[in-house]
Every structure is written in C-alpha cells, then in structure tokens.
Amino acid sequence: MKIALPSRQNRIDDHFGHCEYFTVFSVDEGKKELVDQETVSSPVGCGCKSNIAQTLAEMGVTLMLAGNMGEGAVRVLSNSGISVIRGCSGEVKSVAQQWLEGTLKDSGDSCRAHEHSCSH
C-alpha cells in the first residue's frame, strides 16, 4: 500500500492544492512499517483541478494524509480511489507513523477559502 502527504520542508503542508511536493510512503501493512519513501512534484494550480489524483493513483496511492482540504479535492481523490484523512500536521514521517499506529482520525477540516473554485 502507498500513502501520500502534501509536504513543504518535510512537514504536512496545510494547503493541499499549493504544497511544495508530495511525500509518498510505501507501507508494509503486515509489519506496520514504512518501507520506502519518494517525492512527487506538485502540479501548478488548485489540487482539485490538477492531475495529481490520477498521478498518485497510478503510483498505487490509496490514502492521502492531509491538513485542510476542500470538498472538491476530496471528491477528486476519492474518484481516483484515494481515501483522505484531514486535520494532520507535523513532520511527514511522524504523521505516517501515527496513521500506522491507528491514532489519526479525519477532522473534517476543509479549505473553505477555495470551495467556490474547487466544486465540480
């Protein structure tokens, strides 16, 4: 399994659509450990209108651990088979580890400032 995190300077970027890059971890679910890490360049523009969902899905990503994210972006990711947990913050590896330990829950935080431009 693979998980992605919108990142800036190795931390969760609270603005999914304008993050610096995405950190992608490969996960061994049986051992509950991170086995590989790679970086994917972020596209220019709003996350919900870019091709990032398709790109990440083609890489095998099935989960996005994010800060705030508008409903449009959540829908686009969901339509590509990627579940979303919002309300995450901190260093990316630490956040991924928290998810492995089962301590992360979706906060439902959305990016209301851009809701108008991300509805489909």
Side-chain angles (χ1 to χ4, degrees):
M1 148 174 221
K2 290 188 178 184
I3 57 177
L5 301 89
S7 308
R8 181 174 303 275
Q9 299 178 348
N10 209 33
R11 298 183 64 78
I12 295 284
D13 189 328
D14 201 39
H15 198 165
F16 165 79
H18 298 283
C19 67
E20 189 176 4
Y21 57 92
F22 290 89
T23 302
V24 177
F25 289 104
S26 296
V27 177
D28 182 325
E29 290 182 271
K31 293 182 181 179
K32 292 193 178 241
E33 65 183 39
L34 306 172
V35 293
D36 192 29
Q37 177 179 341
E38 58 190 302
T39 300
V40 177
S41 296
S42 179
V44 175
C46 180
C48 66
K49 295 182 179 178
S50 73
N51 66 346
I52 194 60
Q54 179 181 347
T55 299
L56 293 173
E58 288 171 359
M59 293 176 63
V61 171
T62 56
L63 178 66
M64 175 72 65
L65 303 178
N68 293 330
M69 182 185 295
E71 293 301 323
V74 172
R75 267 194 308 279
V76 168
L77 289 164
S78 179
N79 289 343
S80 292
I82 300 172
S83 300
V84 176
I85 295 178
R86 294 175 289 185
C88 303
S89 64
E91 190 269 327
V92 292
K93 192 168 187 176
S94 175
V95 171
Q97 195 63 47
Q98 289 171 34
W99 174 78
L100 280 173
E101 294 165 2
T103 60
L104 287 181
K105 302 285 183 237
D106 181 65
S107 70
D109 288 343
S110 63
C111 184
R112 288 172 182 71
H114 297 284
E115 206 56 41
H116 64 280
S117 65
C118 290
S119 57
H120 296 286

